[in-house]
Amino acid sequence: MIVLLALVSCNKEKASELYSDAEKKQQSESVIDPATAAALTFDVADYDFGNLPSGAKVEHYFKFTNTGKSPLIIKDAKGSCGCTVPVWPKEPIAPGATDSIKINYNAGSQKGKQHKTVTLTTNTVKGKEVCSFTATLPNEAKPAAEAAKTLKGS
């Protein structure tokens, strides 16, 4: 019985043999050393648009600094819904350098208090960084022509 157990255990594949060389390389590159990693620090990570008219289309820039020791790479940015569209720098941000992420928000027919987030996929230790904003919209939608007047200040 012991001999059978020894034979069975010797035939099992090693975990390292389950992955191709490319997969092993990708896994090793995804390990980030906290001592030398990039770090994204927002000047202000939460912004309040305040009261907006129905159907408002607004934008805000979230300024940030790479407070880490390696270039910061923002691989992707996603809004929490289709009404929030981020535009982010595609080039690496050097340590100590500042840049910003532009957020376009289209309130559409939303009503009341809104809270939206943008999640950045980065090469920081956390791997994900988040900024957010709030806006308060009327509970009853105004006709589009009236909303346009409000935005123009008429």
Side-chain angles (χ1 to χ4, degrees):
M1 189 80 110
I2 295 175
V3 173
L4 180 61
L5 187 58
L7 289 175
V8 172
S9 66
C10 291
N11 289 332
K12 291 192 176 197
E13 292 182 90
K14 295 178 182 175
S16 62
E17 293 172 353
L18 297 175
Y19 299 98
S20 69
D21 289 339
E23 290 171 318
K24 290 177 199 174
K25 183 177 186 232
Q26 182 182 11
Q27 290 171 357
S28 69
E29 289 174 351
S30 66
V31 176
I32 297 173
D33 179 5
T36 60
L40 188 152
T41 304
F42 286 106
D43 285 4
V44 177
D46 300 299
Y47 180 75
D48 185 0
F49 281 110
N51 294 319
L52 296 175
S54 294
K57 293 180 181 180
V58 293
E59 63 184 36
H60 177 72
Y61 288 85
F62 285 94
K63 187 177 175 186
F64 64 87
T65 303
N66 176 1
T67 56
K69 295 182 180 176
S70 295
L72 171 66
I73 299 168
I74 301 173
K75 300 171 190 173
D76 193 20
K78 293 195 186 296
S80 55
C81 75
C83 64
T84 305
V85 180
V87 179
W88 68 96
K90 307 298 189 273
E91 297 297 319
I93 295 100
T98 61
D99 210 324
S100 63
I101 296 157
K102 178 182 176 185
I103 306 301
N104 295 303
Y105 172 57
N106 181 352
S109 62
Q110 296 175 347
K111 298 176 185 177
K113 186 84 168 177
Q114 300 294 315
H115 181 262
K116 307 296 179 184
T117 61
V118 173
T119 303
L120 309 173
T121 303
T122 67
N123 65 331
T124 61
V125 173
K126 292 190 283 185
K128 304 276 185 192
E129 305 292 334
V130 178
C131 56
S132 64
F133 66 88
T134 56
T136 303
L137 301 158
N139 285 324
E140 293 185 27
K142 293 181 184 177
E146 192 175 334
K149 280 185 190 176
T150 306
L151 284 175
K152 291 179 183 176
S154 298

